[in-house]
Amino acid sequence: MSNPPGAPSRSGSIANGPPSAGVAPGAGNQLPSTPSTPSQQNLNQIVLEYLSKKGYSKTESMLRRESAFHDAEGRPLVRRAEDAGGKMYERGYQLLLDHVSDVLEVYKPELSRLLWPVFVHSVLSLARSHYPKDSETFFNKYNDRFTREHQSELGQLQTVTAPEHVEESSIAKVYMSNKYRVTLTPMAYNVLVQFLEQKEEDGGSVIIALLEQHLHIIKAERGGPGAERSLAAMLARGGEEYDMPAEDEGIPGHNPGSANVDPNAPNKLPKLLLAAPPLDPDAMEDIRAELIEADTRNPPRPGQSSLLEEFEQSIKQEPQDEAASRDAVPLPPMMARDIAMEVQNIREHRDRFRIDPKSSGVGPGVSVCLYTFHNTHNSISVMEFSPDLKFVAVGFQQSYIRVWTVDGSPLPILTPGQVSAVTTPVNSKKLIGHSGPVYGLSFSPGTPKPSEDSPNTNSRYLLSSSADGTIRLWGCDMWTCLVSYRGHDAPVWDVRWGPHGHYFLSCGHDKVARIWTTDVIAPLRLFVGHESDVDVGCFHPSGIYVFTGGDRTVRMWEIQRGNAVRMFTGHTGHITAIECSPNGQFLASADDQGNIIIWDLQPGNRMKRMRGHGKGGIWSLSWSAESNVLVSSGADSVIRVWDVLLTPSEKSGDGLTKVENVVSAAGATGAPQTGSQKKGKKDVVVTPDQISAFKTKKTPVIKAMFTRSNLVVAGGAINELSH
Amino acid sequence: MSSLWNPDNVRDVAESVGISQMNKEVVDDLARDIDFRVSQVIEEALKFMRHARRTTLHTDDITQALRVLDVEPLFGYDTTRPMRFGEASIGPGQPLYYIEDEEVDFEKLINAPLPKVPRDVSFTAHWLAVDGVQPSIPQNPSTHDSRNTDLLPKGPGANPSLSALAGNDSVAIKPLVKHVLSSELQLYFERITTAVLDETNEEYRNAAYNSLHTDPGLHQLVPYFVHFVNEKVTHSIKELFVLRQMLCLLEAILRNQSLFIEPYIASFIPSIITCLTGKHLGNSSDSPSAVYSLRELAASLIVSISQRHGKSSHTLKPRLARTLLKTFLDPTKPLPSHYGALFALQRMVGPAGVRTLIIPNLRLYDAILREGMADDVKRADAEQVISVLMAALMVGASDVVEGANGVASEPELRTRLVDKVGEVMGTKVVDSGNMKLVKVVLHTNIDI
């Protein structure tokens, strides 16, 4: 152990720091020693001679030992890492890094999860203690490891070099005010602590201090709450997911799935009522009558079930979950229009392209109709098809919305007073009202008309949200703005209608999601909890829960009580799309790193992670009517179809065969893995549950949507600049 | 150099507001602070970029970000107009970059004609996929582009049939099903192939053809027969007998009603074309007439294929016609090849085709004919070609109504015909005395 590496930096950091150098630990205690060097040296000598003469041998040996850490000139030798000034974190971190790479293979994945929080807090501590240069060298030396998982955080962290930055930077605020939660098995934890205590002087104490101060380490047995951390599971994954965070890891610090962020919260989840609430008995009778009428008018073809049978079947189906009562979230009574929509829904559901749950290995061949927009000059920010597939609305950067009819027929425009098209019929209309780019669009529920004489069932309203902080409601008859809802004081990123069209959800830059109803201009509920912007939102099909995505977490809120009931962490990028399955069991969320994660809602855990999309954002997700196939689309100009129910564990059977399979799978992949590992880091790995991928020519696909009949409708603007 | 921002800039700005003396540490600290502020703005702006579903940052995003951060936005920058940087030199190796900002003359701007109205946003629809397969239409990326393997899952657990469906058989995944032929079929194949090549026993051969023509269970064997034919034709180009038997074999298969032959047509057409237009068929001992009859057989096969299967593949007929026309117009090919090509062509394309494809080319072809007639060795071949050309003209004239208009004098007619179709053919046409022929030749618009 020698002095030189510490010396130059010390002088450097003192010179760079503000005059009050006393803040820097390790810098203060050496300044006064320099002037008194000769006398102190002599003094020691004299005292030692004196002690030996008097026979105080114990005191003498103690003094010898204690003065041994001073060099010939009497300056203290830097032994302890803490005394190395700004370098102490580098030494400590290097120590931890070496340990993690040397430790037994079993502990490696767990311990390597510690590196990121320790890295962040090292950087922040350096910035806070006025070591701008050390902070920079530290950052540059160790950041490579995290570029894949924490790219945007690295970007934010890089410029944090002064105490005032720590105060202001959003990421620093998050990390300083929360404890980062990591789960370790007791063995791994003990190995780590023993090692750090052993190497206390070489920087172990620095790390221990960081761990104690900023991390919340949960000691849990393997196979406990994090079942996916079991040895077999890790082996089966072939080491590919070491660099992905566990479900319960990270800043919110919560048990997997739980929204309770109290560190001592029990690992227990509130029960969810995921089934659709029962229909009103009167409405049910009305629907039956309508269905019988429809059946007699258009008798089912041979081999086809009648609409009524289809309906009865859907009611009789034993729900897997309990349903909420009808008045959990009050809805207006069903009108003739709602009943006609219900009839049409049942018909479309019957006539759909069926996707069998157990397909023959190849997966269903879905059909995709792509609408390509031209001459947009990159100015489209959002696109939405109406659920009846009558309209397509596009939000532009230039603050307006434009609506087209999908089939090119004239747009029905009602002018006040008369029902006529005075002007020449057009197939599109510009909706002008916003004063900022439009980021969210949503059509109210609607269906094609079930029969000629039924009430109009088309979508009646369009909601839009914009950077100007307002949400606007547009009528689909006259195409005029009806209401402007103000509540968010910052850009509103997303807006969604509820499943019955009475409520809607908005998510904003102000970290709050709000529930509104159309006839009140103030929000009914505020969902507060996200650490940064709420990027996306969606409703649960039962209408009693909503989901919001932002700050890398997905949260599930109960509308009636306004509290969070689930929280899911595990995304490594910004969440760009979420969508709940029609059966209410699963949630799919996608991020801009190309990952799609399926969450199982009731047990509150991650079902699987599906990879394949390139970076740049998956902008749209949609479920098939049977909730077994997911379609996704995004910036990489590819529409991908995924088999949701094919889980990695499904393949390995059960019981005893499981172990064998795991071993053989690991063995079989062992040889090629080593070769492909390096390549895999760069290439996008496509997980085997992808059914098909359809590449467009040059059209990043903004929206891809399953219709109720399981046709995929997609839209995007062709990238004209790229050629 | 600890900050990305050059500390000198801080000093410059300080001087511009009248602070001449600044401690180096203060400058460094300020530069780092600028770094931090800029990154804060970019971080906000990236949010706007993501929500606008883009992957490139625009100046609009920066404007929006500044607004959210409660900072006055920068005005005058527009994403639609790309920023242009000028370069000036303030000394050796010290380039200075600046944003070019043109001075706009109001007078000019007001008097300038209005710019063109930009094209309106519109959309088109197409099928990106039908039942899980991408149709090969111009709107979709070509199969070559989309066949890149990184679209599909790889590695353990990946579904090999998916990859095979996408046409990635080459990636170490062979189709799982091996083509298994029953021993009976194998025996049958062997018998047939020996029978048709048996020069001595005609009865045996005919029985084989008969079987091929009527047997309904041969579908499994079709690719093997196609392969057999192709191989024999390639290797036995000198043996007229083998070539003829091969054509007969193909004919028998083609006539078999129970076979779905369409997928294989493309693979045996080359063999027939070889028999039709090959340079040297048979050896010198074979009589020329035998060679010509082989060509005629091949021609009739081609014609029947194009008639029977032209409907199922709309490119088949044009492709055949193009190949044959190319042979006909290739002066390096010998006359017998021309004969074969013409023979098939005139029967395949019909009267209108003859008028548009053959007659306009006759004047140029005249040179070859004259050369052939002049040469003793080639005269016989040339005469054959002339006869087929005459037949072609007859075909071309077959749907022309004979007019009763006055006929010009013979010498004049002759010059006009020679002018149109060259000396050899012109004379022939006049000599034939068929006024329909004369008419069709004269009335065909040569300058297509």
Side-chain angles (χ1 to χ4, degrees):
Chain A
M1 178 100 337
S2 65
N3 193 12
S9 84
R10 212 170 344 143
S11 54
S13 49
I14 292 164
N16 270 332
S20 61
V23 189
N29 58 359
Q30 35 192 293
L31 279 179
S33 65
T34 331
S36 60
T37 311
S39 61
Q40 197 188 29
Q41 181 72 10
N42 292 344
L43 206 65
N44 274 359
Q45 211 58 44
I46 292 162
V47 172
L48 283 173
E49 275 169 26
Y50 168 79
L51 288 174
S52 78
K53 215 180 284 172
K54 286 277 181 185
Y56 298 139
S57 59
K58 279 196 176 167
T59 318
E60 187 203 338
S61 66
M62 184 59 82
L63 183 61
R64 276 189 190 281
R65 200 156 62 174
E66 285 189 340
S67 62
F69 299 140
H70 293 257
D71 59 12
E73 294 176 359
R75 281 199 312 219
L77 286 168
V78 181
R79 294 266 333 227
R80 294 172 59 78
E82 276 96 327
D83 303 334
K87 289 279 178 241
M88 70 174 176
Y89 290 105
E90 198 174 323
R91 277 168 65 178
Y93 186 81
Q94 188 61 49
L95 186 76
L96 183 65
L97 201 63
D98 291 345
H99 178 57
V100 167
S101 56
D102 285 347
V103 82
L104 277 180
E105 200 64 32
V106 236
Y107 305 130
K108 207 178 262 181
E110 302 177 45
L111 291 182
S112 65
R113 301 308 312 164
L114 285 172
L115 291 174
W116 167 249
V118 169
F119 172 81
V120 172
H121 282 290
S122 300
V123 172
L124 293 181
S125 303
L126 282 168
R128 262 194 317 169
S129 343
H130 295 282
Y131 287 116
K133 290 212 164 142
D134 288 326
S135 169
E136 196 189 315
T137 44
F138 182 84
F139 184 90
N140 291 338
K141 193 164 171 189
Y142 296 116
N143 73 350
D144 305 349
R145 187 185 179 91
F146 307 110
T147 46
R148 174 151 171 233
E149 190 183 333
H150 298 284
Q151 201 166 28
S152 68
E153 279 115 320
L154 284 178
Q156 293 174 38
L157 211 54
Q158 187 168 21
T159 52
V160 177
T161 46
E164 52 269 30
H165 298 167
V166 177
E167 298 284 308
E168 281 191 49
S169 158
S170 55
I171 179 175
K173 269 193 266 181
V174 168
Y175 275 83
M176 295 308 286
S177 56
N178 292 287
K179 283 192 164 192
Y180 193 99
R181 172 170 160 147
V182 176
T183 308
L184 293 180
T185 56
M187 273 313 288
Y189 181 72
N190 292 343
V191 166
L192 176 75
V193 170
Q194 267 173 19
F195 171 79
L196 290 178
E197 278 173 357
Q198 217 174 24
K199 298 274 183 173
E200 196 182 354
E201 292 196 336
D202 299 340
S205 55
V206 178
I207 300 298
I208 289 177
L210 281 181
L211 294 184
E212 275 171 2
Q213 209 180 341
H214 297 297
L215 264 74
H216 176 57
I217 296 179
I218 307 278
K219 278 153 279 183
E221 280 298 342
R222 281 214 175 95
E228 60 171 27
R229 314 214 118 198
S230 68
L231 191 58
M234 283 194 287
L235 278 178
R237 271 179 279 149
E240 52 158 345
E241 289 212 356
Y242 286 176
D243 48 353
M244 286 291 157
E247 271 172 63
D248 55 342
E249 186 186 313
I251 273 301
H254 61 122
N255 286 316
S258 165
N260 192 341
V261 292
D262 186 343
N264 303 316
N267 188 13
K268 211 174 154 210
L269 297 173
K271 191 155 177 52
L272 298 179
L273 308 168
L274 293 178
L279 284 167
D280 180 41
D282 294 345
M284 202 129 78
E285 278 316 302
D286 288 348
I287 293 172
R288 268 205 192 96
E290 285 287 324
L291 288 174
I292 291 168
E293 202 192 317
D295 272 334
T296 46
R297 211 179 305 147
N298 299 316
R301 291 193 302 275
Q304 201 178 28
S305 58
S306 73
L307 292 175
L308 189 65
E309 284 162 18
E310 188 82 21
F311 180 59
E312 300 290 352
Q313 207 184 356
S314 73
I315 295 173
K316 279 207 196 93
Q317 219 165 41
E318 199 65 39
Q320 287 162 302
D321 289 279
E322 284 173 51
S325 66
R326 226 173 320 114
D327 48 0
V329 174
L331 282 170
M334 283 182 112
M335 310 301 277
R337 175 177 187 271
D338 301 294
I339 290 174
M341 274 166 64
E342 202 64 41
V343 170
Q344 180 64 19
N345 276 345
I346 291 166
R347 172 173 303 160
E348 284 182 17
H349 192 260
R350 179 191 66 178
D351 298 343
R352 73 188 191 275
F353 167 71
R354 274 158 217 275
I355 297 178
D356 292 325
K358 286 282 172 209
S359 50
S360 59
V362 178
V366 295
S367 302
V368 184
C369 183
L370 178 69
Y371 291 87
T372 312
F373 283 74
H374 304 271
N375 311 321
T376 56
H377 304 287
N378 255 336
S379 60
I380 288 188
S381 51
V382 62
M383 184 183 297
E384 182 77 18
F385 291 94
S386 71
D388 51 7
L389 285 187
K390 202 162 179 224
F391 308 118
V392 54
V394 173
F396 286 86
Q397 282 287 100
Q398 289 81 9
S399 313
Y400 65 88
I401 303 157
R402 197 161 163 189
V403 182
W404 281 267
T405 49
V406 169
D407 53 1
S409 60
L411 198 69
I413 301 175
L414 221 65
T415 39
Q418 75 254 44
V419 188
S420 70
V422 181
T423 49
T424 48
V426 284
N427 73 340
S428 73
K429 178 143 175 74
K430 261 185 197 175
L431 311 180
I432 299 168
H434 281 295
S435 58
V438 182
Y439 290 123
L441 283 173
S442 180
F443 276 102
S444 71
T447 58
K449 265 191 184 188
S451 61
E452 280 307 307
D453 53 347
S454 61
N456 187 12
T457 57
N458 289 328
S459 292
R460 288 159 88 187
Y461 302 109
L462 171 67
L463 277 171
S464 64
S465 71
S466 152
D468 63 7
T470 61
I471 302 156
R472 277 172 191 269
L473 180 75
W474 309 82
C476 293
D477 309 317
M478 292 187 279
W479 299 108
T480 49
C481 182
L482 306 176
V483 196
S484 164
Y485 301 93
R486 286 161 206 279
H488 289 275
D489 58 352
V492 188
W493 295 134
D494 197 13
V495 66
R496 285 285 194 103
W497 277 104
H500 305 289
H502 188 63
Y503 299 96
F504 62 92
L505 167 73
S506 66
C507 312
H509 179 273
D510 54 359
K511 307 178 189 177
V512 181
R514 288 166 162 83
I515 289 278
W516 313 68
T517 170
T518 41
D519 48 4
V520 183
I521 54 162
L524 303 180
R525 293 284 184 279
L526 269 71
F527 301 124
V528 187
H530 279 285
E531 303 275 0
S532 70
D533 305 30
V534 188
D535 289 314
V536 284
C538 79
F539 270 86
H540 188 270
S542 68
I544 58 169
Y545 300 105
V546 291
F547 302 93
T548 56
D551 71 349
R552 303 177 172 218
T553 60
V554 178
R555 292 167 202 238
M556 181 180 189
W557 310 82
E558 190 179 338
I559 294 178
Q560 186 54 257
R561 277 186 285 178
N563 59 343
V565 286
R566 290 284 187 275
M567 174 156 67
F568 303 111
T569 49
H571 276 290
T572 56
H574 299 271
I575 296 172
T576 52
I578 57 176
E579 197 67 51
C580 188
S581 70
N583 65 4
Q585 304 281 321
F586 308 113
L587 179 79
S589 59
D591 62 30
D592 63 352
Q593 302 288 307
N595 291 315
I596 302 171
I597 301 183
I598 307 282
W599 309 97
D600 198 346
L601 295 178
Q602 191 62 271
N605 57 15
R606 180 170 75 204
M607 205 163 98
K608 61 174 174 171
R609 188 193 293 270
M610 305 190 292
R611 286 184 294 179
H613 273 287
K615 283 189 182 172
I618 298 171
W619 294 325
S620 175
L621 293 172
S622 182
W623 291 80
S624 70
E626 293 90 346
S627 303
N628 53 4
V629 169
L630 185 78
V631 64
S632 64
S633 72
D636 60 352
S637 307
V638 183
I639 294 178
R640 291 174 196 269
V641 186
W642 306 90
D643 188 343
V644 175
L645 301 178
L646 178 85
T647 51
S649 59
E650 193 179 288
K651 293 200 158 168
S652 47
D654 49 14
L656 282 172
T657 54
K658 194 172 197 167
V659 182
E660 260 174 58
N661 273 350
V662 165
V663 171
S664 65
T669 58
Q673 202 96 53
T674 43
S676 64
Q677 196 87 56
K678 281 190 192 94
K679 222 173 63 186
K681 285 274 187 236
K682 258 186 263 160
D683 289 354
V684 182
V685 186
V686 181
T687 47
D689 39 12
Q690 179 187 287
I691 296 170
S692 35
F694 307 118
K695 194 161 171 43
T696 66
K697 249 186 173 168
K698 268 182 295 227
T699 312
V701 187
I702 296 175
K703 181 86 189 168
M705 180 180 95
F706 263 114
T707 67
R708 277 183 293 264
S709 313
N710 283 342
L711 166 78
V712 179
V713 176
I718 192 158
N719 194 354
E720 284 137 338
L721 300 177
S722 69
H723 53 83
Chain B
M1 181 68 197
S2 63
S3 55
L4 297 172
W5 194 263
N6 190 348
D8 288 346
N9 288 345
V10 178
R11 205 166 272 132
D12 293 345
V13 173
E15 275 168 18
S16 77
V17 294
I19 304 167
S20 52
Q21 284 293 315
M22 264 179 93
N23 195 337
K24 183 177 180 309
E25 282 159 31
V26 175
V27 170
D28 279 352
D29 213 46
L30 281 174
R32 271 196 296 273
D33 198 55
I34 291 169
D35 266 7
F36 174 69
R37 305 290 159 190
V38 169
S39 89
Q40 257 189 325
V41 171
I42 292 176
E43 185 194 323
E44 273 313 305
L46 284 173
K47 287 182 188 169
F48 284 91
M49 177 196 85
R50 276 197 301 274
H51 283 280
R53 273 94 173 161
R54 274 186 273 109
T55 45
T56 43
L57 192 67
H58 284 185
T59 42
D60 293 345
D61 301 329
I62 303 276
T63 311
Q64 293 286 347
L66 289 172
R67 205 167 275 162
V68 163
L69 291 170
D70 224 3
V71 181
E72 191 175 328
L74 301 163
F75 294 105
Y77 299 102
D78 187 3
T79 305
T80 51
R81 202 180 42 187
M83 198 92 80
R84 285 176 52 198
F85 287 92
E87 188 183 338
S89 181
I90 50 167
Q94 279 182 294
L96 176 74
Y97 296 97
Y98 60 93
I99 298 167
E100 272 184 13
D101 208 357
E102 272 175 61
E103 267 183 43
V104 179
D105 187 3
F106 268 118
E107 195 74 21
K108 250 191 209 163
L109 195 69
I110 291 165
N111 293 328
L114 286 173
K116 260 209 279 185
V117 179
R119 275 196 273 174
D120 195 18
V121 178
S122 61
F123 66 88
T124 52
H126 74 270
W127 288 104
L128 184 69
V130 176
D131 291 340
V133 179
Q134 276 192 290
S136 52
I137 47 174
Q139 288 93 328
N140 285 336
S142 64
T143 44
H144 180 74
D145 301 341
S146 63
R147 202 172 278 188
N148 49 1
T149 45
D150 36 292
L151 280 180
L152 290 163
K154 278 178 288 201
N159 193 335
S161 33
L162 276 184
S163 177
L165 272 185
N168 293 330
D169 307 357
S170 54
V171 264
I173 299 161
K174 294 270 176 273
L176 292 174
V177 188
K178 241 186 188 170
H179 195 199
V180 181
L181 271 185
S182 65
S183 51
E184 288 88 349
L185 276 176
Q186 289 182 32
L187 196 64
Y188 177 83
F189 180 73
E190 213 147 290
R191 286 280 174 81
I192 293 278
T193 48
T194 47
V196 296
L197 290 178
D198 192 344
E199 244 175 290
T200 54
N201 193 344
E202 197 185 345
E203 208 173 314
Y204 198 23
R205 277 205 311 267
N206 285 339
Y209 292 138
N210 199 33
S211 166
L212 280 177
H213 168 203
T214 50
D215 203 315
L218 292 183
H219 202 243
Q220 296 264 307
L221 284 175
V222 173
Y224 295 87
F225 278 123
V226 170
H227 180 75
F228 174 70
V229 169
N230 287 349
E231 195 166 298
K232 283 288 169 204
V233 169
T234 323
H235 292 126
S236 318
I237 200 81
K238 294 280 178 222
E239 293 172 49
L240 272 189
F241 172 78
V242 176
L243 294 180
R244 178 171 281 276
Q245 296 319 312
M246 288 306 112
L247 289 179
C248 291
L249 195 155
L250 283 183
E251 195 216 348
I253 294 178
L254 275 169
R255 278 195 356 240
N256 190 329
Q257 294 294 325
S258 55
L259 292 183
F260 180 60
I261 201 76
E262 249 123 53
Y264 302 100
I265 285 184
S267 41
F268 57 62
I269 278 193
S271 305
I272 308 180
I273 297 272
T274 308
C275 294
L276 180 67
T277 64
K279 265 186 185 172
H280 304 289
L281 299 174
N283 50 34
S284 47
S285 65
D286 292 313
S287 73
S289 65
V291 179
Y292 279 114
S293 78
L294 176 76
R295 290 185 197 275
E296 278 157 23
L297 179 63
S300 65
L301 254 182
I302 284 279
V303 171
S304 87
I305 287 172
S306 84
Q307 275 164 0
R308 242 190 285 172
H309 303 285
K311 279 194 200 78
S312 61
S313 158
H314 63 277
T315 57
L316 176 71
K317 221 167 159 176
R319 262 178 20 227
L320 279 175
R322 208 174 309 129
T323 316
L324 295 174
L325 193 62
K326 230 161 105 189
T327 317
F328 166 49
L329 294 180
D330 188 347
T332 58
K333 289 260 162 73
L335 284 167
S337 294
H338 291 162
Y339 174 84
L342 277 170
F343 194 89
L345 193 61
Q346 51 108 348
R347 287 171 58 188
M348 202 170 79
V349 295
V354 168
R355 285 200 294 275
T356 50
L357 295 178
I358 299 182
I359 297 181
N361 294 314
L362 283 179
R363 192 163 45 163
L364 287 174
Y365 194 69
D366 187 51
I368 298 169
L369 280 180
R370 259 185 295 170
E371 187 192 326
M373 293 299 278
D375 190 336
D376 281 344
V377 186
K378 290 188 190 163
R379 181 168 300 136
D381 290 334
E383 272 167 5
Q384 284 285 356
V385 173
I386 289 168
S387 72
V388 77
L389 277 174
M390 283 304 285
L393 289 182
M394 293 295 270
V395 171
S398 60
D399 62 346
V400 173
V401 186
E402 196 160 358
N405 286 348
V407 179
S409 62
E410 199 185 298
E412 189 195 338
L413 203 60
R414 187 178 296 265
T415 36
R416 273 173 66 194
L417 279 172
V418 169
D419 191 36
K420 274 247 162 162
V421 295
E423 193 190 325
V424 183
M425 284 309 292
T427 323
K428 273 275 176 202
V429 170
V430 175
D431 291 347
S432 73
N434 186 338
M435 284 328 280
K436 255 168 101 179
L437 273 190
V438 175
K439 195 170 169 197
V440 75
V441 171
L442 286 182
H443 289 251
T444 305
N445 186 6
I446 287 180
D447 314 306
I448 307 168

